[in-house]
């Protein structure tokens, strides 16, 4: 059996990939888009049934391609925090899945007492926010009569997307999640690695409706596919899977995913450090009996700024065009962009800030504007990296990149220059799915955790310029623009 399948149940699509586990090479993939609904301002929902049917379709497609007898197991990675409620007897969802982006509980979270916020911060490493699962579960229990009825009948199940899909794939035999997904619920003690009674009481969530929690390299039952039972082994949330897939297994190693937004995760080893600058502390992964923690920081806008250049301003026809345009000018000609479309996250945490384009003169061209937008993505990452280093006392050595916008050579070189560290771009850019496949390999004893960093192949390493002062000055200039955006 030479293949493992990685299931990546993301926000915009569900995908399954076949990997040859001996080489870690991608062999085949299947993908299905998943619809999102926005029934009220700030609300985001998905249909859990649709996620499951599309998952089954992609998995069957991959199993057929590889041959069921050749598939050793399935690893699972998923959009985190999203909440599904379902009937334990029938597996039917009770209501739409409440997606991580959904803000319906933001007033509830803002109304939590100082003590409650401190409890959340110290036990879970998160900040009390509508982003995480707990308040979404509370909302469903308060507003969905069907949920209350099932709760009274002892038939209610609640979980994140991984848990729901595993429950369905195993015909209800496994009701479990892994520590990384649990660590995003706001109900999980990340040091003790168990549901926390005080937090369960705070949010009014009964323990019995939640799944069992297991390490990432545990077994999660067997999926029935193409007439065969295939083990599900290896489960972790998408950003953690990318960290693992990139081989960031030592303290100080980190990765940046450049997608719609930007996610920096930084391995802090066995140290569960709490951030002083608004970063999150989270379970990085847990396997071989060890739990590794990570600091996580995100910028709301990265690739989305490039989309804005394309769709909002019409300055470019395709995202990839931004690279040539930015490189066609030696600098931004004094133009500076702050991507505060929806406020600014860490370390500024200002929801009122709005985007800013400054320094425009009659000689400003679209190339300058495009370049300023790409540069702003790199400055945002430097903001996060600075916080990470201060919080952990660990110096970032090099950073691995993935996500759609990591294909932009100009951006990656500029990022290396602004951070003053090497940016290492892998051959295999689907780090999230690869991480799930490798965790599956570890769980089944087909590969060794210590071999993972050796397997990773760099496609290109962007080495920082020696002109540190020049790039420090550019960053200081960006920070001045941020101050104006905050006014
Ligand atoms: P997500 O997983 O968040 O949907 P992806 O990792 O698929 O995102 O990346 C898509 C994002 O990357 C889009 O916002 C797009 O504008 C941006 N992007 C893709 N290619 C490039 C490029 N060559 N240069 C700059 N941005 C790009």
């Amino acid at each position: 059996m030479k293949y493992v399948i990685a299931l990546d149940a993301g926000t915009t699509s569900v995908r399954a990939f076949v990997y040859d586990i001996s080489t870690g090479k991608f062999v085949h993939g299947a993908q299905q888009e998943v619809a999102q609904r926005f029934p009220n301002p700030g609300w985001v929902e998905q249909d859990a049934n649709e996620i499951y049917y599309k998952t089954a379709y992609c998995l069957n497609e991959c199993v057929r391609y590889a041959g069921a007898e050749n598939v050793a197991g399935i690893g699972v990675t998923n959009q985190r925090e999203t909440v599904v409620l379902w009937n334990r007897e029938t597996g039917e969802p009770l209501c739409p899945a409440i997606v991580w982006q959904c803000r319906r509980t933001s007033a509830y979270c803002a109304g939590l007492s100082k003590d409650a916020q401190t409890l959340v911060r110290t036990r879970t490493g998160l900040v009390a926010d509508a982003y995480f699962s707990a308040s979404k579960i509370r909302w469903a229990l308060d507003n969905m009569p069907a949920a209350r009825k099932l709760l009274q009948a002892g038939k209610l199940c609640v979980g994140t997307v991984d848990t729901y899909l595993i429950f369905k794939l195993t015909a209800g035999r496994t009701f479990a999640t892994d520590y990384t997904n649990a660590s995003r619920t706001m109900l999980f003690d990340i040091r003790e690695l168990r549901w926390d009674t005080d937090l369960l009481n705070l949010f009014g969530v009964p323990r019995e409706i939640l799944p069992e929690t297991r390490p990432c390299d545990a077994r999660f039952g067997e999926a029935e596919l193409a007439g065969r039972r295939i083990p599900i082994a290896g489960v972790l949330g998408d950003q953690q899977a990318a960290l693992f897939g990139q081989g960031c297994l030592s303290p100080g190693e980190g990765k940046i995913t450049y997608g719609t937004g930007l996610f920096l995760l930084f391995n802090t080893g066995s140290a569960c450090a709490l951030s002083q600058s608004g970063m999150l502390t989270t379970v990085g992964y847990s396997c071989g009996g060890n739990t590794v923690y990570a600091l996580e920081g995100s910028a709301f806008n990265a690739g989305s700024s490039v989309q804005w250049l394309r769709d909002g301003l019409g300055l470019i026809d395709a995202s990839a065009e931004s690279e040539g345009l930015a490189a066609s000018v030696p600098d931004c000609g004094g133009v500076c962009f702050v991507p505060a479309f929806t406020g600014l996250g860490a370390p500024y945490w200002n929801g009122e800030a709005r985007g800013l384009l400054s320094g425009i003169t009659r000689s400003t061209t679209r190339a300058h504007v495009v370049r300023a937008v790409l540069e702003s993505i790199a400055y945002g990452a430097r903001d996060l990296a600075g916080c990470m280093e201060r919080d952990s006392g660990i110096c970032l050595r090099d950073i691995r990149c993935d996500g759609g916008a990591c294909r932009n050579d100009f951006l990656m070189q500029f990022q290396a220059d602004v951070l003053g560290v090497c940016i290492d771009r892998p051959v295999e850019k689907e780090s999230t799915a690869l991480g799930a496949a490798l965790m599956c390999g570890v769980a089944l004893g087909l590969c060794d955790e210590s071999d993972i960093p050796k397997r990773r192949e760099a496609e290109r390493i962007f080495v920082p310029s020696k002109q540190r002062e020049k790039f420090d000055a550019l960053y200081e200039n960006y920070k001045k623009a941020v101050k104006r955006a905050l006014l």
Side-chain angles (χ1 to χ4, degrees):
M1 287 197 278
K2 58 187 213 158
Y3 298 127
V4 298
I5 293 177
L7 169 67
D8 179 0
T11 314
T12 47
S13 69
V14 169
R15 301 180 298 173
F17 297 99
V18 182
Y19 288 94
D20 181 327
I21 197 62
S22 59
T23 59
K25 291 270 181 289
F26 165 87
V27 177
H28 182 70
Q31 177 165 2
Q32 294 272 295
E33 298 289 322
V34 178
Q36 279 182 292
R37 283 191 301 266
F38 310 97
N40 287 311
W43 288 35
V44 188
E45 296 181 346
Q46 285 184 323
D47 177 358
N49 259 325
E50 180 190 350
I51 298 177
Y52 171 64
Y53 290 131
K54 292 185 168 170
T55 292
Y57 171 86
C58 291
L59 285 177
N60 274 308
E61 223 296 285
C62 284
V63 168
R64 257 197 304 277
Y65 182 90
E69 66 288 358
N70 297 323
V71 179
I74 299 169
V76 177
T77 181
N78 57 290
Q79 53 164 309
R80 307 172 301 172
E81 299 100 9
T82 298
V83 166
V84 185
L85 291 93
W86 69 95
N87 181 324
R88 193 184 293 262
E89 278 180 357
T90 63
E92 274 303 302
L94 303 185
C95 53
I98 308 176
V99 175
W100 56 275
Q101 295 148 317
C102 186
R103 304 301 300 169
R104 76 182 65 182
T105 56
S106 51
Y108 168 85
C109 289
L112 288 170
S113 69
K114 276 267 163 303
D115 285 351
Q117 293 186 19
T118 306
L119 182 68
V120 166
R121 187 93 190 100
T122 49
R123 298 270 166 89
T124 71
L126 308 174
V127 289
D129 192 272
Y131 177 17
F132 307 106
S133 318
S135 64
K136 299 180 198 284
I137 300 173
R138 179 71 256 145
W139 185 94
L141 293 176
D142 285 341
N143 292 280
M144 295 285 163
R148 278 200 302 276
K149 227 166 112 193
L150 278 185
L151 174 62
Q152 278 155 12
K155 294 182 198 163
L156 180 64
C157 288
V158 175
T160 39
V161 169
D162 55 308
T163 310
Y164 181 63
L165 293 178
I166 292 169
F167 185 92
K168 292 286 283 184
L169 288 167
T170 61
R173 286 185 294 271
T174 305
F175 181 41
T177 191
D178 83 294
Y179 296 159
T180 66
N181 274 296
S183 78
R184 314 296 295 184
T185 59
M186 225 155 53
L187 298 170
F188 193 67
D189 183 326
I190 57 170
R191 290 181 191 81
E192 300 295 328
L193 302 172
R194 60 174 184 227
W195 299 122
D196 183 84
T197 309
D198 295 330
L199 290 166
L200 293 174
N201 290 338
L202 173 66
F203 292 104
V205 178
R207 166 70 191 84
E208 61 272 17
I209 65 173
L210 294 176
E212 193 189 305
T213 58
R214 300 181 184 173
C216 302
D217 62 346
R219 302 237 177 180
F220 290 78
E222 292 174 322
E224 217 156 298
L225 292 162
R228 232 194 109 235
R229 285 192 163 193
I230 302 177
I232 300 173
V235 177
L236 67 182
D238 54 8
Q239 294 305 323
Q240 285 91 339
L243 187 76
F244 197 73
Q246 287 270 26
C248 296
L249 307 190
S250 302
E253 290 178 337
K255 65 90 198 171
I256 302 180
T257 299
Y258 297 85
T260 308
L262 181 153
F263 287 86
L264 169 55
L265 260 79
F266 177 52
N267 183 323
T268 58
S270 55
C272 182
L274 270 197
S275 165
Q276 302 303 316
S277 357
M279 303 284 121
L280 307 175
T281 306
T282 204
V283 176
Y285 55 89
S286 181
C287 73
N290 291 320
T291 298
V292 165
Y293 293 90
L295 279 171
E296 174 175 323
S298 53
F300 306 138
N301 291 290
S304 54
S305 305
V306 181
Q307 280 170 319
W308 172 71
L309 286 175
R310 189 191 61 194
D311 306 333
L313 296 186
L315 288 186
I316 52 175
D317 292 326
S319 299
E321 222 183 284
S322 60
E323 180 178 336
L325 265 174
S328 72
V329 284
D331 53 42
C332 294
V335 176
C336 196
F337 178 67
V338 182
F341 298 119
T342 48
L344 283 170
Y348 309 103
W349 295 114
N350 186 318
E352 307 304 313
R354 286 296 173 265
L356 178 97
L357 196 57
S358 66
I360 300 166
T361 66
R362 275 300 299 273
S363 46
T364 298
T365 65
R366 71 182 176 126
H368 292 122
V369 174
V370 168
R371 184 173 174 127
V373 165
L374 291 183
E375 289 192 1
S376 75
I377 298 173
Y379 297 134
R382 173 146 170 189
D383 281 339
L384 297 175
C387 294
M388 299 268 174
E389 290 189 340
R390 275 194 300 281
D391 282 340
S392 65
I394 300 174
C395 207
L396 286 175
R397 285 202 302 261
D398 68 71
I399 295 196
R400 296 159 199 197
C401 63
D402 53 55
C406 89
R407 290 185 165 78
N408 189 311
D409 289 352
F410 169 83
L411 175 60
M412 293 303 104
Q413 182 57 55
F414 194 79
Q415 185 71 84
D417 293 337
V418 162
L419 285 175
V421 300
C422 290
I423 300 289
D424 178 335
R425 187 167 65 188
V427 172
E428 179 50 70
K429 294 180 181 61
E430 293 290 350
S431 311
T432 303
L434 179 63
L438 291 171
M439 188 57 84
C440 179
V442 170
L444 297 175
L446 300 172
C447 60
D448 196 69
E449 188 192 334
S450 60
D451 292 334
I452 290 173
K454 289 180 234 154
R455 285 165 169 251
R456 186 182 177 282
E457 222 183 305
E459 179 247 322
R460 181 163 167 190
I461 294 178
F462 296 85
V463 179
S465 139
K466 298 234 174 344
Q467 299 169 276
R468 292 287 329 132
E469 279 160 23
K470 172 183 155 191
F471 289 99
D472 285 346
L474 286 171
Y475 177 58
E476 289 309 318
N477 196 40
Y478 170 77
K479 289 212 290 196
K480 274 191 208 140
V482 167
K483 275 206 185 112
R484 285 164 147 192
L486 292 173
L487 285 179

